[in-house]
């Protein structure tokens, strides 16, 4: 389960891309040779290796471990000679064997560019060949992977600058529209204050004027009547 979690999770991609952008990085797929003598199991391992290679796009090495228990030469022959692998599959009659037979044709190109080295972690057998493969993978990194990464960085930077310029142009366009709407030459009519009400712009209606005049006449009549009542009578 660790292979799937690291290869297909977001954190695994972040780690490999970060390392690959900072320094020469090589992916080593350690394979249990003793448990891969079955052609179906071998094909499963190769599919894992192929998926990791195309996911990371980094220089890749398959380390055929435990060569002190089982010689890895059979795996090298299966990868280099399609007919030998087909003969090994003839003893298998399950559905998976038929699938493995079909997948071996698909992986033929994958085998041609694959570095496979037999090693033994217990005895150190083949360790010199492994480090030689690592040196070759570093050369591949500097020749192919690093220029590819730099090209991708330039594309990302250009895309960011283009998006930034587009946002700035849209902002200026929006500001121009707002300035046209808020034109200082267009002034609103000042509010008109009358008895008991405020008119916000516009002229007064005739009805409003008549009501105000009527109220004014009533007030004057009341004041005159009050003045007459309070005025002292002359004897």
């Amino acid at each position: 389960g660790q292979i799937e979690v690291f290869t297909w999770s977001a954190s695994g991609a972040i780690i490999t891309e970060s390392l690959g952008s900072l320094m020469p990085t090589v992916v080593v797929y350690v394979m249990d040779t003793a448990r891969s003598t079955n052609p179906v199991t071998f094909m499963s391992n190769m599919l894992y290796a192929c998926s990791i290679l195309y996911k990371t796009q980094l220089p890749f090495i398959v380390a055929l471990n435990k060569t002190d228990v089982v010689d890895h030469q059979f795996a090298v022959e299966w990868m280099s000679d399609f007919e030998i692998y087909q003969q090994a599959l003839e003893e298998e009659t399950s559905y998976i064997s038929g699938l493995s037979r079909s997948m071996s044709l698909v992986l033929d190109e994958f085998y041609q560019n694959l570095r496979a080295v037999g090693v033994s972690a217990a005895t150190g057998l083949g360790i010199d060949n492994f480090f030689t493969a690592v040196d070759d993978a570093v050369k591949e990194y500097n020749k192919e992977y690093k220029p590819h990464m730099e090209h991708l960085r330039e594309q990302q930077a250009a895309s960011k600058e283009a998006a930034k310029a587009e946002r700035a142009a849209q902002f200026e366009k929006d500001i121009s529209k707002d300035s046209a709407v808020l034109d200082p030459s267009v002034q609103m009519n000042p509010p008109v204050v009358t008895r008991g009400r405020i008119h916000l712009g516009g002229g007064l209606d005739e009805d409003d004027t008549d009501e105000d005049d009527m109220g004014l006449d009533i007030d004057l009549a009341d004041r005159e009547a009050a003045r007459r009542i309070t005025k002292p009578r002359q004897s």
Side-chain angles (χ1 to χ4, degrees):
Q2 294 86 349
I3 294 178
E4 292 86 348
V5 170
F6 183 81
T7 304
W8 303 109
S9 65
S11 58
I14 292 173
I15 293 173
T16 54
E17 291 177 2
S18 299
L19 292 175
S21 62
L22 295 176
M23 64 188 73
T25 306
V26 179
V27 177
V28 179
Y29 181 84
V30 181
M31 177 175 162
D32 191 339
T33 308
R35 295 195 176 188
S36 299
T37 54
N38 183 284
V40 176
T41 307
F42 173 81
M43 179 56 61
S44 299
N45 275 287
M46 290 298 101
L47 288 175
Y48 268 130
C50 182
S51 64
I52 296 172
L53 169 62
Y54 287 104
K55 176 65 176 178
T56 60
Q57 297 291 321
L58 287 167
F60 198 82
I61 300 174
V62 175
L64 302 170
N65 194 23
K66 298 184 180 180
T67 55
D68 57 310
V69 178
V70 176
D71 189 12
H72 70 287
Q73 193 60 35
F74 75 94
V76 176
E77 292 178 354
W78 285 354
M79 287 186 288
S80 59
D81 195 329
F82 173 77
E83 296 297 334
I84 295 178
Y85 181 72
Q86 293 298 318
Q87 292 175 5
L89 279 175
E90 289 180 357
E91 299 178 2
E92 298 289 335
T93 59
S94 63
Y95 169 76
I96 300 299
S97 64
L99 179 61
S100 299
R101 186 177 291 104
S102 300
M103 293 305 300
S104 62
L105 292 172
V106 177
L107 295 179
D108 184 59
E109 184 178 355
F110 169 70
Y111 293 147
Q112 294 178 2
N113 300 318
L114 182 65
R115 297 182 184 88
V117 181
V119 295
S120 173
T123 64
L125 180 66
I127 195 67
D128 293 335
N129 295 332
F130 173 75
F131 283 121
T132 300
V134 171
D135 293 337
D136 293 339
V138 171
K139 294 178 182 178
E140 179 186 349
Y141 171 89
N142 293 324
K143 182 180 179 181
E144 298 181 7
Y145 183 82
K146 186 176 180 180
H148 178 67
M149 285 294 298
E150 292 176 351
H151 179 66
L152 290 179
R153 287 179 182 176
E154 293 176 358
Q155 286 184 340
Q156 292 177 355
S159 299
K160 289 181 180 179
E161 291 297 329
K164 183 178 179 181
E166 183 178 357
R167 290 194 297 268
Q170 184 64 36
F171 178 76
E172 293 179 357
K173 186 177 180 180
D174 295 340
I175 290 296
S176 300
K177 289 182 179 180
D178 294 340
S179 299
V181 172
L182 301 176
D183 191 353
S185 63
V186 179
Q187 299 181 357
M188 298 178 62
N189 293 325
V192 179
V193 181
T194 60
R195 287 175 58 86
R197 65 188 65 189
I198 299 176
H199 297 274
L200 299 177
L204 295 175
D205 296 336
E206 294 182 358
D207 295 340
D208 296 337
T209 305
D210 293 340
E211 292 179 359
D212 292 339
D213 292 342
M214 185 181 298
L216 183 60
D217 294 340
I218 293 174
D219 289 345
L220 291 175
D222 293 341
R223 290 177 183 179
E224 182 64 23
R227 187 179 64 80
R228 291 176 181 179
I229 293 172
T230 55
K231 182 178 180 181
R233 294 181 180 180
Q234 297 179 355
S235 58

